[in-house]
């Protein structure tokens, strides 16, 4: 269970259920205790009245004054019974009729106990021992508690239903409280997604103390990454200048060498220059940066097409940018310019008259198709060209130029690059990038 809300709700629900269950058990025990205490008190009072009603004649025989005995003990099977035991006599209440009751052996004095009475009804009984007129007296008095038990049962059922209803209301309230308490977390997640989509630079740190350190560290990480990327690009630009200048001087110094020697060294310098350029471009990729930007796709492609149109002006190429104005890509501007600049340059180099760019987005990806009406390549050559690009081999003329860095950029963004036959007759290049950062490293 990875959801914090589910965990909170589960454990708090268990706690509430435990509290309600304990309240129910406590209510049951309290009702039983109160009932037995009340009956115990009444039995004690009735036993004392029986002791007052008890008298002995001159022969020592026990007798009870009927006027002092409560009428309920005179009614047969009334649920109230007594037995008075003296050394010479045993006196029973008229309510017992022809039955009797007795206390188990070893029953302590003045302590209520449960027993089965007449008609197998549950009884609460009390055994009292006294001394009157110099003779020991034992009084066993009992009361039917079946009605009290039924009342207690109805009370417990009602209490249980009320407790269940209260529990449902508390669980509903708990759900609302948990959802409300986790609102700052959801807001932070939403801000993180907005940051990843390039819609904001930082996330709000005005959050509860428990997640405030996390938000601050994310902001610090993002700023640190941005500064590191800027320093890296600056340093790489300086490095590229430092390397290319000596290479240019070396190429100029080849003019005085024999033709064959000059051609070999010139090819070697070209390979060095290409390798250095490729690695520097790869090192400059932002790819996995936390904060990206919303790049208008149509505007980006039109700017790149304008540059290429000036470069290939004498060929009068037509660039059809069939991209909606509102279409945007999320990423680093330099990365996307490098990616689509290489793709358009490749198409322009091989196109006869026309280069077409269109989009066909899916639910999870932005897919950009770049097609030309050039000679194209067959399916086997497409697979071979991609394989070479994956090995960073840019020595293949034509469509192989720049393919390695394009694959690196697409891979950094968790996308897909494919070569296919164009409807225009030439090569079709399909570039798919995740929507709103889904799948990015």
């Amino acid at each position: 269970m990875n959801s914090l809300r589910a965990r909170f709700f589960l454990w708090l629900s268990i706690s509430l259920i435990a509290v309600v269950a304990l309240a129910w058990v406590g209510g049951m025990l309290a009702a039983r205790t109160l009932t037995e205490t009340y009956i115990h008190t009444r039995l004690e009072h009735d036993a004392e009245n029986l002791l007052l009603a008890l008298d002995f004649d001159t022969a020592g025989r026990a007798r009870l004054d009927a006027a002092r005995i409560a009428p309920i003990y005179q009614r047969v099977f009334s649920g109230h019974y007594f037995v008075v035991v003296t050394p010479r006599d045993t006196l029973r209440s008229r309510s017992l009729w022809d039955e009797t009751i007795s206390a188990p052996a070893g029953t302590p004095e003045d302590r209520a106990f449960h027993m089965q009475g007449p008609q197998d009804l549950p009884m609460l009984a009390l055994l009292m021992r006294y001394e009157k007129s110099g003779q020991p007296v034992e009084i066993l008095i009992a009361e039917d508690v079946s009605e009290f038990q039924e009342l207690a049962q109805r009370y417990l059922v009602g209490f249980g239903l009320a407790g269940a209803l209260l529990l449902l209301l508390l669980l509903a309230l708990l759900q609302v409280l948990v959802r409300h308490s986790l609102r700052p977390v959801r807001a932070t997640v939403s801000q993180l997604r907005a940051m990843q989509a390039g819609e904001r630079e930082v996330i709000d740190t005005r959050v509860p103390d428990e997640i405030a350190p996390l938000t601050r560290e994310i902001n610090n990480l993002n700023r640190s990454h941005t500064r590191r990327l800027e320093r890296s690009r600056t340093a790489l630009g300086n490095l590229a200048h430092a390397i290319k200048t000596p290479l240019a001087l070396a190429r100029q110094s080849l003019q005085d060498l024999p033709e064959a020697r000059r051609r070999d060294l010139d090819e070697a310098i070209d390979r060095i220059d290409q390798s250095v350029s490729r690695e520097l471009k790869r090192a400059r990729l932002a790819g996995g940066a936390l904060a990206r930007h919303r790049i208008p796709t149509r505007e980006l492609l039109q700017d790149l097409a304008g540059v290429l149109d000036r470069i290939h002006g004498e060929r009068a190429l037509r660039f059809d940018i069939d991209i909606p104005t509102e279409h945007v890509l999320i990423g680093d501007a330099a990365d996307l310019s490098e990616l689509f600049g290489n793709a358009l340059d490749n198409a322009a180099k091989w196109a006869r008259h026309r280069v077409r760019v269109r989009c066909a987005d899916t639910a999870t990806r932005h897919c950009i198709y770049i097609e030309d009406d050039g000679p194209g390549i067959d399916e086997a050559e497409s697979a071979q060209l991609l394989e070479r690009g994956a090995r960073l081999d840019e020595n293949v003329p034509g469509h192989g130029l720049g393919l390695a860095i394009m694959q690196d950029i697409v891979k950094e963004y968790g996308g897909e690059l494919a070569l296919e036959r164009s409807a225009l007759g030439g090569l079709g290049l399909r570039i798919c990038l995740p929507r709103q950062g889904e799948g990015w490293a």
Side-chain angles (χ1 to χ4, degrees), residues 328-436:
V328 295
L329 293 173
I330 310 300
D332 181 79
D335 290 351
L336 297 180
S337 295
E338 185 76 34
L339 173 63
F340 291 106
N342 274 302
L344 285 172
D345 180 60
N346 193 67
K349 177 181 291 185
W350 291 95
R352 293 189 177 95
H353 306 288
R354 182 184 179 194
V355 174
R356 182 174 66 184
V357 183
R358 58 187 176 89
C359 67
D361 295 348
T362 67
T364 59
R365 292 191 169 193
H366 291 298
C367 290
I368 307 297
Y369 291 85
I370 300 177
E371 306 169 283
D372 63 64
D373 60 352
I377 56 177
D378 58 33
E379 188 173 329
E381 289 175 324
S382 297
Q384 184 180 16
L385 188 57
L386 283 175
E387 182 180 356
R388 288 180 179 177
R391 294 200 308 265
L392 309 181
D393 183 356
E394 296 185 2
N395 297 319
V396 180
H399 292 295
L401 186 61
L403 186 58
I405 192 63
M406 292 169 60
Q407 286 184 302
D408 288 338
I409 295 173
V410 171
K411 182 178 179 181
E412 283 290 330
Y413 281 76
E416 178 187 7
L417 184 146
L419 301 177
E420 52 194 38
R421 191 71 178 177
S422 167
L424 301 179
L427 180 67
L429 183 62
R430 176 166 52 89
I431 300 172
C432 292
L433 301 176
R435 297 173 68 99
Q436 298 183 353

Side-chain angles (χ1 to χ4, degrees), residues 269-280:
I269 291 175
D270 284 341
R271 285 195 296 271
I272 294 173
D273 188 39
Q274 289 180 6
S275 297
V276 169
S277 298
R278 183 179 63 234
E279 296 303 326
L280 289 175

Side-chain angles (χ1 to χ4, degrees), residues 319-337:
F319 290 88
D320 295 332
I321 311 299
D322 188 15
I323 303 289
T325 305
E326 66 275 8
H327 192 279
V328 295
L329 293 173
I330 310 300
D332 181 79
D335 290 351
L336 297 180
S337 295

